[in-house]
Amino acid sequence: MIYYTVYLNKNDEIVAFEDASQCAEQLKISQGVAGFRTILCRTKKGQLTKYTIVCEDVNDCDTSKAQLRNWEMSMDYIRGMSTKQIADKYNISLTPVQNVVKETKTVIIPLLNEWDNVCTSYRQRTNTSNGQ
């Protein structure tokens, strides 16, 4: 199955995520999947520059639809959305969102901070060795 992530180019915001029918619904495309496929083709050809669309074939990996949705909810939380906003966006109750947020706070954010520290240290060493 192919999943799409649709980014709005003016601010890099994710405006749609899922399969073609879900993306068409989230983008409010009246022609449904056919309309989304038209936007996809025009974007790939460079004729439409409003969006960047990333296609991922998840048949060849062990990532489930639920795992992808949880990752997207984590990213929404990191970007500043409240648990209520996330629950409304995915049309689910607050409990699964709160579980994802808890994992995000205890695992993902510390991991991202650690990675940022590694990158900062590397950049400093590289700048020092290059005489900057």
Side-chain angles (χ1 to χ4, degrees):
M1 176 173 256
I2 297 178
Y3 284 89
Y4 303 92
T5 305
V6 182
Y7 297 89
L8 188 61
N9 284 336
K10 74 176 184 180
N11 60 7
D12 289 330
E13 176 184 344
I14 295 175
V15 292
F17 172 78
E18 282 278 339
D19 60 14
S21 65
Q22 289 293 320
C23 285
E25 184 178 315
Q26 292 168 26
L27 294 170
K28 297 176 178 41
I29 298 172
S30 60
Q31 300 90 358
V33 173
F36 178 73
R37 298 239 188 256
T38 300
I39 289 173
L40 177 64
C41 289
R42 291 185 64 212
T43 300
K44 285 185 175 183
K45 290 179 181 179
Q47 297 170 341
L48 180 65
T49 58
K50 182 177 183 177
Y51 302 111
T52 296
I53 302 175
V54 178
C55 308
E56 300 174 74
D57 186 357
V58 296
N59 290 332
D60 298 334
C61 68
D62 60 356
T63 306
S64 70
K65 186 175 179 177
Q67 287 172 312
L68 291 171
R69 185 185 71 178
N70 288 351
W71 175 252
E72 198 57 42
M73 285 191 289
S74 290
M75 294 307 298
D76 287 339
Y77 178 75
I78 290 169
R79 289 183 190 108
M81 288 179 73
S82 70
T83 54
K84 174 77 171 113
Q85 290 171 320
I86 296 169
D88 290 345
K89 177 180 177 180
Y90 294 93
N91 197 26
I92 57 176
S93 70
L94 280 174
T95 303
V97 174
Q98 289 168 337
N99 292 337
V100 168
V101 165
K102 181 180 176 184
E103 181 182 0
T104 301
K105 286 179 179 177
T106 59
V107 177
I108 296 173
I109 290 175
L111 183 63
L112 290 173
N113 288 335
E114 184 177 339
W115 178 246
D116 189 47
N117 290 337
V118 167
C119 291
T120 300
S121 174
Y122 176 77
R123 281 192 296 272
Q124 288 172 346
R125 282 196 315 261
T126 304
N127 289 341
T128 302
S129 67
N130 290 336
Q132 296 178 351

